[in-house]
């Protein structure tokens, strides 16, 4: 389905990269007490912005308009399920936001792996691009989890337990939303 709707997928992908960059910067500025956290998130934001530019360049090359971003129901539902609402302590809210971001990166990683393989099978020049993105998304997932552990004062057991809860919620959300030509759908 993604290959049959590559223009739609590429536009969605561009918007996902911009949203990921914005989210990383938002997290860095909301919790600036940790310069290590802010620096790591700024690095991720820069990389996501480079990805956005690369996808936009591909859209331009193919004559595909970027269009307006749609609401990402997957992300909205995942954030809602995590209860990021201000009712938590600031530390717990930050940890959940980092873990939600890690799960989004993991889902993107999964989709980029599948896309890279499918593009390679048909000899498409985009295959190496998505192979590189697969590696980046895996690193972003790991970084977000590591930052959550750091934000918890090193309570890796609690963070991994919370990640497990959120991952189960994420799988239900992904299954409920069904399949469409998008990065998270």
């Amino acid at each position: 389905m993604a290959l049959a709707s590559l223009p739609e997928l590429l536009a969605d992908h561009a918007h996902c990269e911009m949203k990921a960059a914005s989210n990383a910067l938002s997290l860095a500025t909301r919790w600036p007490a940790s310069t290590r956290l802010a620096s790591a998130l700024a690095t991720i934001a820069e990389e996501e912005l480079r990805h956005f530019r690369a996808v936009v360049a591909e859209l331009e090359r193919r004559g595909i308009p970027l269009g307006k971003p749609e609401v990402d129901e997957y992300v909205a539902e995942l954030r809602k399920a995590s209860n990021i609402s201000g009712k938590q302590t600031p530390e717990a809210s930050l940890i959940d936001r980092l873990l939600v971001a890690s799960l989004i990166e993991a889902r993107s990683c999964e989709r980029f792996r599948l896309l890279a393989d499918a593009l390679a099978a048909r000899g498409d020049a985009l295959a190496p691009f998505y192979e590189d993105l697969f590696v980046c998304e895996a690193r972003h997932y790991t970084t977000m989890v590591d930052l959550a552990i750091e934000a918890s004062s090193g309570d890796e057991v609690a963070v991994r337990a919370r990640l497990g809860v959120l991952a189960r919620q994420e799988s239900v959300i992904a299954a409920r939303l069904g399949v469409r030509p998008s990065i998270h759908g």
Side-chain angles (χ1 to χ4, degrees), residues 92-143:
S93 180
L94 172 59
I95 292 165
D96 268 9
R97 293 225 21 208
L98 290 165
L99 293 178
V100 164
S102 76
L103 290 168
I104 294 166
E105 296 290 341
R107 181 63 69 182
S108 298
C109 181
E110 172 201 46
R111 298 298 167 90
F112 292 158
R113 167 82 278 139
L114 295 170
L115 195 53
D117 291 346
L119 289 165
R122 75 178 202 182
D124 194 298
L126 271 178
F129 175 67
Y130 279 101
E131 183 68 37
D132 289 344
L133 288 176
F134 162 75
V135 172
C136 290
E137 299 301 295
R139 186 177 61 256
H140 293 170
Y141 162 80
T142 302
T143 300

